[in-house]
Amino acid sequence: MPTVLTREEVLAVLSYLEDVPKLVIQTLYGSGLRLREGLNLRIKDVDFAQHQLIVRDAKGRESRVTPLPDQ
């Protein structure tokens, strides 16, 4: 059975992180990306005007679009 962290638990974990690791984890959490998808993001995959991320070659070798977190 999967275990899900509460919002408070996620914030507690984030409070121990800084810089790039914190940015990666916030992006994964806020946009629902898988770890490999988040680590493979490039700057050209971020569309600030449309507030979305383009996930290329995701699971199943298909690309998809996901919302860019506000923070």
Side-chain angles (χ1 to χ4, degrees), residues 3-59:
T3 302
V4 178
L5 298 176
T6 66
R7 183 173 291 220
E8 292 76 23
E9 291 170 331
V10 171
L11 292 174
V13 169
L14 288 173
S15 71
Y16 288 100
L17 301 172
E18 351 179 286
D19 303 327
V20 175
K22 185 173 186 173
L23 177 62
V24 171
I25 298 300
Q26 286 176 317
T27 305
L28 294 176
Y29 180 72
S31 62
L33 297 178
R34 295 174 180 91
L35 179 59
R36 177 66 58 198
E37 294 170 345
L39 295 175
N40 287 335
L41 279 178
R42 298 169 291 179
I43 192 66
K44 71 180 190 176
D45 297 332
V46 181
D47 185 350
F48 290 105
Q50 298 293 322
H51 297 285
Q52 62 187 15
L53 297 170
I54 301 167
V55 182
R56 300 178 194 281
D57 294 327
K59 189 175 182 180

